[in-house]
Amino acid sequence: MTRQSQALTLWIHPALGVEDVAQVSKELGKKILPAWHRLLARGDLIPQKPKHFYAKAAYLMHQVTMPAIAATEASFQVIGFNEQDFWLKVSPVHLRPDRDTLVLIPEAELAMTADEAKSLKFAFNRHFEAEGLQLEGTDQAWFLRLPQVIDFQSDTLDSLKYASMQGRYPTGASAGYWRRLMNEAQMLFHSHPVNERRREQGQLDINSVWFWGEGQLDLAKMTSRNDAQIWSNHPYLIGLAKLTQAHQLAPVDSYIQWQQQVDFNVSRHHLMQVLTPSLSSVQDYLIWLEENWLSPIAAGLVNDQLHSVYIDFDYTMGWLVEPRCLKRFWRRSIPFKMIKE
């Protein structure tokens, strides 16, 4: 396998607003952002439907359908995982009253410690043991295993962050049952010593759980990707790597680091989830992206290190850039007017 056969997908998630990026890109110009303007002006635009994180991850891993979120993540975090079971992801959350509704604050914003998670998980399992429900997984990644498929549909937790819960609760024939369990968990957690201590310390209490990510795996519908490497620590992408026989590695901060760590004899396709550092402005973001990724990528396309690069900013279009694209001279500006978030 040669270096020329390498294909890199650069998934920059989350990206900044396209209008802000377009404006600052124009202001900085080609002298400061030469690779940015060259790649995005000459690459082929690839239309795509707007997708949430999990559907986009499956799409970029060339899966025909999106494998169920809970089952995919449980596949490597639950001892005795069985793809024939139906799985729910259970996320501890804070529900804050706001006028006539509730606003959800997800677990990622609550700074829950490992000891707190372990204690709340134990309380949940003891309380719901009589109903045959037991949280499985790690202390900080909770799942419910159900022996049969249930009629239950939910939104992703990401889409509910700081959102009103009005009209956003799960639906389906069994939704009422799970809404009751959610209310019981809310009462259980409210008086728990973990939350009493958190309130005393001025922290948001972990006052409920959210059931989501429902589904069952169909391995027959999954496309093997043993020729791919996934550079990400996200649980869903780790699960996808396991289920598709792809190789999973920790993400890196730059193209140079990727070149130093990649084994070109193992894979020919690479999905890189780029996590941008905390930057104070769009200008800093574009300059960071230029120096750490786009400039060396442009060089890699010229010197045959790369066969192709697909750049995805979570907009309605992505960019496919091959060496032949860089020879174009007639595309003068980046077509941001055609692109939406």
Side-chain angles (χ1 to χ4, degrees):
M1 187 175 298
T2 64
R3 294 173 71 91
Q4 289 91 327
S5 66
Q6 303 306 308
L8 174 63
T9 295
L10 207 65
W11 184 14
I12 302 164
H13 173 85
L16 298 181
V18 67
E19 293 184 4
D20 292 336
V21 168
Q23 179 63 32
V24 175
S25 169
K26 183 178 180 180
E27 292 171 356
L28 292 178
K30 297 180 182 179
K31 288 186 177 181
I32 297 177
L33 304 174
W36 168 273
H37 284 274
R38 190 181 185 193
L39 295 174
L40 301 194
R42 300 183 185 184
D44 292 327
L45 281 174
I46 308 297
Q48 53 184 265
K49 296 178 181 179
K51 299 177 175 69
H52 58 67
F53 174 88
Y54 302 92
K56 174 63 72 68
Y59 167 78
L60 293 178
M61 277 297 290
H62 301 180
Q63 299 304 304
V64 177
T65 59
M66 184 195 79
I69 298 168
T72 299
E73 295 191 7
S75 68
F76 74 97
Q77 296 186 93
V78 173
I79 297 173
F81 171 81
N82 188 336
E83 70 273 7
Q84 295 181 354
D85 292 327
F86 189 92
W87 294 89
L88 287 175
K89 190 169 171 62
V90 184
S91 294
V93 298
H94 174 84
L95 294 179
R96 173 183 291 174
D98 182 35
R99 297 184 180 179
D100 58 348
T101 186
L102 294 170
V103 171
L104 185 147
I105 301 176
E107 58 183 309
E109 307 289 319
L110 300 178
M112 181 174 62
T113 68
D115 286 341
E116 288 174 335
K118 185 176 182 178
S119 183
L120 291 175
K121 179 182 178 183
F122 178 81
F124 182 101
N125 284 346
R126 183 175 58 184
H127 181 83
F128 290 106
E129 183 177 10
E131 300 208 36
L133 297 175
Q134 294 288 282
L135 295 177
E136 299 185 57
T138 68
D139 286 336
Q140 291 185 290
W142 302 349
F143 303 92
L144 284 175
R145 180 200 310 253
L146 305 177
Q148 70 285 328
V149 175
I150 61 173
D151 183 8
F152 181 91
Q153 297 87 42
S154 69
D155 292 335
T156 66
L157 189 64
D158 295 352
S159 70
L160 298 173
K161 181 178 178 179
Y162 296 113
S164 166
M165 291 298 97
Q166 186 138 13
R168 301 296 299 274
Y169 284 95
T171 58
S174 67
Y177 170 78
W178 296 99
R179 180 76 177 269
R180 175 180 69 80
L181 294 187
M182 196 181 301
N183 290 336
E184 283 191 37
Q186 196 166 351
M187 291 185 287
L188 173 68
F189 284 2
H190 177 77
S191 59
H192 194 281
V194 163
N195 282 318
E196 291 177 354
R197 183 167 56 251
R198 288 178 67 94
R199 287 190 289 268
E200 289 173 0
Q201 296 174 353
Q203 295 178 286
L204 291 176
D205 50 351
I206 304 160
N207 62 10
S208 191
V209 294
W210 197 260
F211 303 109
W212 66 290
E214 67 283 346
Q216 185 181 41
L217 287 181
D218 186 348
L219 299 182
K221 292 184 178 179
M222 298 192 70
T223 303
S224 174
R225 294 304 315 278
N226 56 10
D227 62 342
Q229 289 184 347
I230 298 179
W231 299 76
S232 173
N233 283 331
H234 192 283
Y236 188 71
L237 284 166
I238 294 175
L240 270 184
K242 177 181 182 295
L243 294 170
T244 62
Q245 295 87 50
H247 305 270
Q248 182 267 328
L249 303 96
V252 294
D253 295 328
S254 68
Y255 182 89
I256 300 302
Q257 288 186 19
W258 175 63
Q259 287 278 296
Q260 292 170 345
Q261 296 184 30
V262 68
D263 184 349
F264 290 110
N265 295 314
V266 172
S267 304
R268 60 186 298 267
H269 296 282
H270 305 267
L271 172 56
M272 178 69 65
Q273 185 187 13
V274 177
L275 303 176
T276 58
S278 297
L279 299 170
S280 58
S281 67
V282 178
Q283 176 175 315
D284 290 342
Y285 162 79
L286 293 184
I287 292 174
W288 177 86
L289 197 59
E290 174 80 14
E291 294 176 349
N292 289 274
W293 289 102
L294 300 187
S295 181
I297 279 175
L301 288 166
V302 171
N303 63 25
D304 289 332
Q305 286 182 349
L306 296 170
H307 171 269
S308 64
V309 175
Y310 180 74
I311 304 172
D312 194 307
F313 293 102
D314 276 344
Y315 298 151
T316 53
M317 293 187 181
W319 282 265
L320 176 63
V321 189
E322 299 174 335
R324 62 177 177 80
C325 299
L326 300 184
K327 298 177 182 179
R328 294 171 175 168
F329 60 89
W330 43 265
R331 296 184 74 168
R332 299 294 186 183
S333 61
I334 303 172
F336 278 121
K337 291 182 180 180
M338 297 173 56
I339 302 163
K340 298 180 181 180
E341 295 172 49

